[in-house]
Amino acid sequence: AQKVTQAQTEISVVEKEDVTLDCVYETRDTTYYLFWYKQPPSGELVFLIRRNSFDEQNEISGRYSWNFQKSTSSFNFTITASQVVDSAVYFCALSEAAITGGGNKLTFGTGTQLKVEL
Amino acid sequence: AAGVIQSPRHLIKEKRETATLKCYPIPRHDTVYWYQQGPGQDPQFLISFYEKMQSDKGSIPDRFSAQQFSDYHSELNMSSLELGDSALYFCASSLRPKNTGELFFGEGSRLTVL
């Protein structure tokens, strides 16, 4: 069974600080996808990034960066120079790369509430 | 670009009533997923459909049913509503043959059961 663990329930930082959100996953699949979603107070799920299990290249996109380490089953997410607008719940999610049936059902972590204060 | 459309966005019902949520996937997407997110919880997978057939089933109560129609839109029917059904219900769609793993989520339908 797939499992995603976000050990950090809530993180508070002061604006302009860097913050890293941790995600550890479990799966028996050799091919899978990892995601980060942002859920602001308005409730919608905003897609941030997708990584497949064969792509361990880490990436920086603006103030966001990701660190995918297959050896430790971790997919951490860093916001550089955080802003108040970054305040939201961040979900890490995992799906298997379905070849037949079922599509790409997501298993979510329990989320990390990020609060960025002035 | 067209996104996943969910309606209604907000719904208030009494206990034991019935509610229906609708989802219109991104054009040409053939797979629809339903998720339920309770207050302070992570989204939980309920059910999915591929080409109008149920493809996977999660923690969907027996009081709930869903289907995907010929135009690929989907409806989630919830009967004998309970207070615990109050949640944000997300629909997502994908194009399975492309298999990039990405699901596109709607903005959610917030159901409140009084």
Side-chain angles (χ1 to χ4, degrees):
Chain A
Q2 298 177 327
K3 184 178 179 182
V4 177
T5 301
Q6 295 179 252
Q8 304 152 309
T9 305
E10 186 173 318
I11 299 176
S12 291
V13 298
V14 176
E15 203 176 36
K16 298 183 184 176
E17 286 186 347
D18 299 346
V19 58
T20 295
L21 309 181
D22 298 334
C23 174
V24 175
Y25 62 92
E26 297 175 28
T27 179
R28 285 179 288 189
D29 298 319
T30 55
T31 304
Y32 50 89
Y33 296 99
L34 294 163
F35 302 81
W36 276 98
Y37 284 89
K38 173 183 178 180
Q39 187 173 43
S42 50
E44 71 273 23
L45 284 169
V46 179
F47 167 78
L48 295 176
I49 188 172
R50 175 189 70 247
R51 270 287 176 270
N52 71 51
S53 51
F54 295 109
D55 180 7
E56 287 193 72
Q57 181 178 356
N58 294 312
E59 184 177 318
I60 297 175
S61 175
R63 296 187 298 110
Y64 298 161
S65 62
W66 296 267
N67 187 345
F68 175 31
Q69 295 197 354
K70 212 168 176 179
S71 60
T72 56
S73 297
S74 66
F75 185 48
N76 298 336
F77 170 53
T78 297
I79 301 174
T80 303
S82 60
Q83 300 175 2
V84 172
V85 293
D86 296 328
S87 298
V89 179
Y90 290 81
F91 288 101
C92 180
L94 167 71
S95 79
E96 61 186 19
I99 298 175
T100 59
N104 297 107
K105 176 180 67 178
L106 286 174
T107 298
F108 285 86
T110 50
T112 298
Q113 171 78 60
L114 173 64
K115 294 183 179 179
V116 182
E117 300 166 335
L118 292 171
Chain B
V4 176
I5 305 297
Q6 291 188 244
S7 68
R9 293 293 311 282
H10 300 275
L11 190 59
I12 299 175
K13 291 286 185 179
E14 300 278 343
K15 281 197 313 183
R16 292 179 287 277
E17 286 191 323
T18 298
T20 297
L21 305 181
K22 296 184 178 182
C23 170
Y24 296 86
I26 291 173
R28 293 186 296 280
H29 279 195
D30 51 19
T31 306
V32 169
Y33 312 77
W34 285 98
Y35 285 81
Q36 178 192 55
Q37 186 181 23
Q41 305 294 314
D42 55 289
Q44 294 290 318
F45 172 72
L46 293 179
I47 196 167
S48 63
F49 292 87
Y50 168 66
E51 284 291 345
K52 293 152 281 184
M53 299 288 290
Q54 180 182 309
S55 54
D56 202 352
K57 195 172 180 180
S59 50
I60 184 169
D62 292 339
R63 299 177 289 106
F64 291 12
S65 65
Q67 58 181 322
Q68 186 179 32
F69 295 85
S70 58
D71 64 351
Y72 294 100
H73 95 272
S74 177
E75 295 183 6
L76 178 66
N77 298 293
M78 300 173 283
S79 62
S80 302
L81 287 169
E82 302 173 356
L83 296 178
D85 296 328
S86 295
L88 191 53
Y89 290 83
F90 287 104
C91 173
S93 73
S94 70
L95 182 58
R96 201 187 76 168
K98 192 177 180 182
N99 203 29
T100 62
E102 185 173 354
L103 271 62
F104 296 81
F105 282 88
E107 294 186 323
S109 293
R110 188 173 295 279
L111 171 66
T112 302
V113 181
L114 302 176

Short mmCIF file of all heavy atoms in Angstrom, two decimals, chain A residues 12-46:
data_model
loop_
_atom_site.label_atom_id
_atom_site.label_comp_id
_atom_site.label_asym_id
_atom_site.label_seq_id
_atom_site.Cartn_x
_atom_site.Cartn_y
_atom_site.Cartn_z
N SER A 12 5.70 27.84 11.23
CA SER A 12 5.56 29.30 11.21
C SER A 12 6.92 29.92 10.94
O SER A 12 7.91 29.55 11.58
CB SER A 12 5.02 29.82 12.54
OG SER A 12 3.68 29.43 12.71
N VAL A 13 6.95 30.81 9.99
CA VAL A 13 8.20 31.52 9.67
C VAL A 13 7.90 32.99 9.52
O VAL A 13 6.74 33.41 9.34
CB VAL A 13 8.85 30.98 8.38
CG1 VAL A 13 9.23 29.52 8.54
CG2 VAL A 13 7.96 31.19 7.17
N VAL A 14 8.95 33.76 9.57
CA VAL A 14 8.84 35.19 9.33
C VAL A 14 9.14 35.44 7.85
O VAL A 14 9.98 34.77 7.25
CB VAL A 14 9.81 35.98 10.23
CG1 VAL A 14 9.76 37.47 9.92
CG2 VAL A 14 9.49 35.72 11.70
N GLU A 15 8.44 36.38 7.29
CA GLU A 15 8.62 36.68 5.88
C GLU A 15 10.10 36.84 5.54
O GLU A 15 10.88 37.38 6.31
CB GLU A 15 7.85 37.95 5.52
CG GLU A 15 7.51 38.06 4.04
CD GLU A 15 6.67 39.28 3.72
OE1 GLU A 15 6.88 40.33 4.35
OE2 GLU A 15 5.81 39.16 2.84
N LYS A 16 10.45 36.32 4.36
CA LYS A 16 11.79 36.34 3.79
C LYS A 16 12.67 35.20 4.29
O LYS A 16 13.77 35.01 3.78
CB LYS A 16 12.51 37.68 4.02
CG LYS A 16 11.80 38.85 3.35
CD LYS A 16 12.56 40.15 3.53
CE LYS A 16 11.77 41.31 2.93
NZ LYS A 16 12.42 42.62 3.17
N GLU A 17 12.19 34.45 5.25
CA GLU A 17 12.93 33.26 5.66
C GLU A 17 12.72 32.15 4.64
O GLU A 17 11.71 32.11 3.94
CB GLU A 17 12.45 32.76 7.02
CG GLU A 17 12.91 33.59 8.19
CD GLU A 17 12.52 32.96 9.52
OE1 GLU A 17 11.69 32.03 9.52
OE2 GLU A 17 13.02 33.42 10.55
N ASP A 18 13.69 31.25 4.55
CA ASP A 18 13.52 30.04 3.73
C ASP A 18 12.85 28.98 4.58
O ASP A 18 13.06 28.90 5.79
CB ASP A 18 14.88 29.52 3.25
CG ASP A 18 15.62 30.52 2.39
OD1 ASP A 18 14.99 31.50 1.93
OD2 ASP A 18 16.84 30.33 2.17
N VAL A 19 12.05 28.15 3.93
CA VAL A 19 11.36 27.09 4.68
C VAL A 19 11.32 25.83 3.83
O VAL A 19 11.09 25.88 2.62
CB VAL A 19 9.93 27.53 5.08
CG1 VAL A 19 9.10 27.92 3.88
CG2 VAL A 19 9.23 26.46 5.90
N THR A 20 11.56 24.70 4.47
CA THR A 20 11.54 23.41 3.79
C THR A 20 10.45 22.54 4.37
O THR A 20 10.36 22.36 5.59
CB THR A 20 12.89 22.68 3.92
OG1 THR A 20 13.89 23.44 3.22
CG2 THR A 20 12.82 21.29 3.29
N LEU A 21 9.63 22.00 3.50
CA LEU A 21 8.55 21.09 3.90
C LEU A 21 8.98 19.67 3.56
O LEU A 21 9.40 19.40 2.43
CB LEU A 21 7.26 21.45 3.16
CG LEU A 21 6.83 22.91 3.22
CD1 LEU A 21 5.52 23.11 2.47
CD2 LEU A 21 6.69 23.38 4.66
N ASP A 22 8.87 18.80 4.55
CA ASP A 22 9.35 17.43 4.38
C ASP A 22 8.25 16.49 3.91
O ASP A 22 7.09 16.64 4.29
CB ASP A 22 9.92 16.91 5.71
CG ASP A 22 11.11 17.72 6.19
OD1 ASP A 22 11.79 18.32 5.34
OD2 ASP A 22 11.33 17.76 7.42
N CYS A 23 8.65 15.52 3.11
CA CYS A 23 7.71 14.50 2.65
C CYS A 23 8.47 13.19 2.51
O CYS A 23 9.52 13.13 1.85
CB CYS A 23 7.11 14.90 1.31
SG CYS A 23 6.07 13.62 0.55
N VAL A 24 7.96 12.15 3.12
CA VAL A 24 8.52 10.81 3.00
C VAL A 24 7.42 9.90 2.49
O VAL A 24 6.27 10.01 2.92
CB VAL A 24 9.04 10.31 4.35
CG1 VAL A 24 9.51 8.86 4.25
CG2 VAL A 24 10.18 11.19 4.85
N TYR A 25 7.75 9.03 1.57
CA TYR A 25 6.71 8.19 0.97
C TYR A 25 7.10 6.72 1.02
O TYR A 25 8.27 6.37 1.19
CB TYR A 25 6.46 8.63 -0.48
CG TYR A 25 7.66 8.48 -1.38
CD1 TYR A 25 7.87 7.30 -2.10
CD2 TYR A 25 8.60 9.49 -1.49
CE1 TYR A 25 8.98 7.15 -2.91
CE2 TYR A 25 9.71 9.34 -2.29
CZ TYR A 25 9.90 8.17 -3.00
OH TYR A 25 11.01 8.02 -3.79
N GLU A 26 6.09 5.88 0.88
CA GLU A 26 6.29 4.44 0.81
C GLU A 26 5.48 3.91 -0.36
O GLU A 26 4.31 4.23 -0.51
CB GLU A 26 5.80 3.75 2.09
CG GLU A 26 6.53 4.12 3.35
CD GLU A 26 5.91 3.48 4.57
OE1 GLU A 26 5.30 2.39 4.44
OE2 GLU A 26 6.00 4.08 5.67
N THR A 27 6.12 3.09 -1.16
CA THR A 27 5.42 2.44 -2.25
C THR A 27 6.20 1.20 -2.66
O THR A 27 7.43 1.16 -2.54
CB THR A 27 5.24 3.38 -3.46
OG1 THR A 27 4.56 2.67 -4.50
CG2 THR A 27 6.57 3.88 -3.98
N ARG A 28 5.49 0.22 -3.17
CA ARG A 28 6.16 -0.98 -3.68
C ARG A 28 6.33 -0.89 -5.18
O ARG A 28 6.94 -1.76 -5.79
CB ARG A 28 5.35 -2.22 -3.30
CG ARG A 28 5.50 -2.60 -1.84
CD ARG A 28 4.68 -3.81 -1.49
NE ARG A 28 3.26 -3.51 -1.46
CZ ARG A 28 2.33 -4.35 -1.01
NH1 ARG A 28 2.67 -5.53 -0.58
NH2 ARG A 28 1.07 -4.00 -1.01
N ASP A 29 5.76 0.15 -5.77
CA ASP A 29 5.87 0.32 -7.21
C ASP A 29 7.28 0.81 -7.57
O ASP A 29 7.89 1.55 -6.81
CB ASP A 29 4.85 1.33 -7.72
CG ASP A 29 3.43 0.84 -7.47
OD1 ASP A 29 3.16 -0.34 -7.67
OD2 ASP A 29 2.60 1.67 -7.06
N THR A 30 7.74 0.41 -8.72
CA THR A 30 9.03 0.90 -9.18
C THR A 30 8.88 2.17 -10.00
O THR A 30 9.82 2.93 -10.16
CB THR A 30 9.75 -0.18 -10.03
OG1 THR A 30 8.88 -0.56 -11.09
CG2 THR A 30 10.09 -1.39 -9.18
N THR A 31 7.68 2.35 -10.52
CA THR A 31 7.38 3.56 -11.29
C THR A 31 6.22 4.28 -10.61
O THR A 31 5.17 3.69 -10.40
CB THR A 31 7.00 3.21 -12.74
OG1 THR A 31 8.05 2.45 -13.34
CG2 THR A 31 6.77 4.47 -13.54
N TYR A 32 6.46 5.52 -10.28
CA TYR A 32 5.43 6.28 -9.57
C TYR A 32 5.68 7.77 -9.80
O TYR A 32 6.70 8.18 -10.36
CB TYR A 32 5.44 5.95 -8.07
CG TYR A 32 6.81 6.03 -7.43
CD1 TYR A 32 7.29 7.22 -6.89
CD2 TYR A 32 7.62 4.90 -7.37
CE1 TYR A 32 8.54 7.29 -6.32
CE2 TYR A 32 8.89 4.96 -6.80
CZ TYR A 32 9.33 6.16 -6.27
OH TYR A 32 10.58 6.22 -5.70
N TYR A 33 4.71 8.55 -9.36
CA TYR A 33 4.80 10.00 -9.48
C TYR A 33 4.64 10.64 -8.11
O TYR A 33 3.88 10.15 -7.28
CB TYR A 33 3.68 10.54 -10.39
CG TYR A 33 3.76 10.07 -11.82
CD1 TYR A 33 2.98 9.01 -12.26
CD2 TYR A 33 4.60 10.69 -12.73
CE1 TYR A 33 3.04 8.58 -13.57
CE2 TYR A 33 4.66 10.26 -14.04
CZ TYR A 33 3.89 9.20 -14.46
OH TYR A 33 3.96 8.78 -15.75
N LEU A 34 5.34 11.71 -7.93
CA LEU A 34 5.24 12.49 -6.69
C LEU A 34 4.80 13.90 -7.03
O LEU A 34 5.19 14.46 -8.07
CB LEU A 34 6.59 12.53 -5.98
CG LEU A 34 7.08 11.18 -5.45
CD1 LEU A 34 8.56 11.23 -5.15
CD2 LEU A 34 6.28 10.78 -4.22
N PHE A 35 4.01 14.46 -6.15
CA PHE A 35 3.43 15.78 -6.39
C PHE A 35 3.51 16.64 -5.14
O PHE A 35 3.53 16.13 -4.02
CB PHE A 35 1.94 15.66 -6.76
CG PHE A 35 1.64 14.82 -7.95
CD1 PHE A 35 1.59 13.44 -7.83
CD2 PHE A 35 1.39 15.39 -9.17
CE1 PHE A 35 1.29 12.64 -8.92
CE2 PHE A 35 1.09 14.61 -10.28
CZ PHE A 35 1.04 13.23 -10.16
N TRP A 36 3.49 17.94 -5.35
CA TRP A 36 3.20 18.89 -4.29
C TRP A 36 2.02 19.74 -4.75
O TRP A 36 2.00 20.23 -5.90
CB TRP A 36 4.40 19.78 -3.98
CG TRP A 36 5.36 19.17 -3.02
CD1 TRP A 36 6.53 18.52 -3.33
CD2 TRP A 36 5.26 19.13 -1.60
NE1 TRP A 36 7.15 18.08 -2.19
CE2 TRP A 36 6.39 18.45 -1.12
CE3 TRP A 36 4.33 19.63 -0.68
CZ2 TRP A 36 6.62 18.25 0.26
CZ3 TRP A 36 4.55 19.43 0.67
CH2 TRP A 36 5.68 18.74 1.12
N TYR A 37 1.05 19.90 -3.83
CA TYR A 37 -0.09 20.76 -4.06
C TYR A 37 -0.15 21.79 -2.94
O TYR A 37 0.18 21.50 -1.80
CB TYR A 37 -1.41 19.96 -4.06
CG TYR A 37 -1.66 19.16 -5.30
CD1 TYR A 37 -1.20 17.85 -5.41
CD2 TYR A 37 -2.37 19.70 -6.37
CE1 TYR A 37 -1.44 17.11 -6.56
CE2 TYR A 37 -2.61 18.96 -7.52
CZ TYR A 37 -2.14 17.66 -7.60
OH TYR A 37 -2.38 16.93 -8.73
N LYS A 38 -0.65 22.95 -3.29
CA LYS A 38 -0.85 24.02 -2.32
C LYS A 38 -2.35 24.24 -2.18
O LYS A 38 -3.08 24.27 -3.18
CB LYS A 38 -0.19 25.31 -2.82
CG LYS A 38 -0.45 26.56 -2.01
CD LYS A 38 0.22 27.76 -2.68
CE LYS A 38 -0.07 29.05 -1.93
NZ LYS A 38 0.58 30.22 -2.56
N GLN A 39 -2.83 24.37 -0.94
CA GLN A 39 -4.24 24.64 -0.71
C GLN A 39 -4.36 25.91 0.12
O GLN A 39 -4.21 25.89 1.34
CB GLN A 39 -4.94 23.47 -0.02
CG GLN A 39 -6.44 23.65 0.07
CD GLN A 39 -7.15 22.42 0.60
OE1 GLN A 39 -6.69 21.78 1.55
NE2 GLN A 39 -8.27 22.07 -0.02
N PRO A 40 -4.62 27.05 -0.53
CA PRO A 40 -4.79 28.29 0.22
C PRO A 40 -6.11 28.28 0.98
O PRO A 40 -6.92 27.37 0.79
CB PRO A 40 -4.78 29.36 -0.89
CG PRO A 40 -5.20 28.63 -2.12
CD PRO A 40 -4.74 27.21 -1.96
N PRO A 41 -6.34 29.28 1.82
CA PRO A 41 -7.58 29.32 2.60
C PRO A 41 -8.85 29.25 1.75
O PRO A 41 -9.89 28.79 2.23
CB PRO A 41 -7.47 30.64 3.35
CG PRO A 41 -6.00 30.88 3.46
CD PRO A 41 -5.41 30.35 2.19
N SER A 42 -8.77 29.66 0.51
CA SER A 42 -9.95 29.61 -0.36
C SER A 42 -10.33 28.18 -0.72
O SER A 42 -11.46 27.94 -1.17
CB SER A 42 -9.70 30.42 -1.63
OG SER A 42 -8.46 30.04 -2.21
N GLY A 43 -9.45 27.22 -0.52
CA GLY A 43 -9.82 25.81 -0.62
C GLY A 43 -9.39 25.06 -1.86
O GLY A 43 -9.36 23.83 -1.83
N GLU A 44 -9.08 25.75 -2.93
CA GLU A 44 -8.75 24.99 -4.14
C GLU A 44 -7.38 24.33 -4.00
O GLU A 44 -6.54 24.78 -3.23
CB GLU A 44 -8.78 25.88 -5.39
CG GLU A 44 -7.66 26.88 -5.50
CD GLU A 44 -7.93 28.19 -4.81
OE1 GLU A 44 -8.78 28.22 -3.89
OE2 GLU A 44 -7.28 29.19 -5.17
N LEU A 45 -7.16 23.28 -4.75
CA LEU A 45 -5.87 22.59 -4.77
C LEU A 45 -5.07 23.10 -5.96
O LEU A 45 -5.47 22.94 -7.10
CB LEU A 45 -6.07 21.08 -4.88
CG LEU A 45 -6.51 20.35 -3.63
CD1 LEU A 45 -6.92 18.93 -3.94
CD2 LEU A 45 -5.39 20.36 -2.59
N VAL A 46 -3.95 23.71 -5.66
CA VAL A 46 -3.12 24.29 -6.71
C VAL A 46 -1.92 23.38 -6.95
O VAL A 46 -1.12 23.12 -6.05
CB VAL A 46 -2.63 25.70 -6.29
CG1 VAL A 46 -1.75 26.30 -7.38
CG2 VAL A 46 -3.82 26.61 -6.00
#
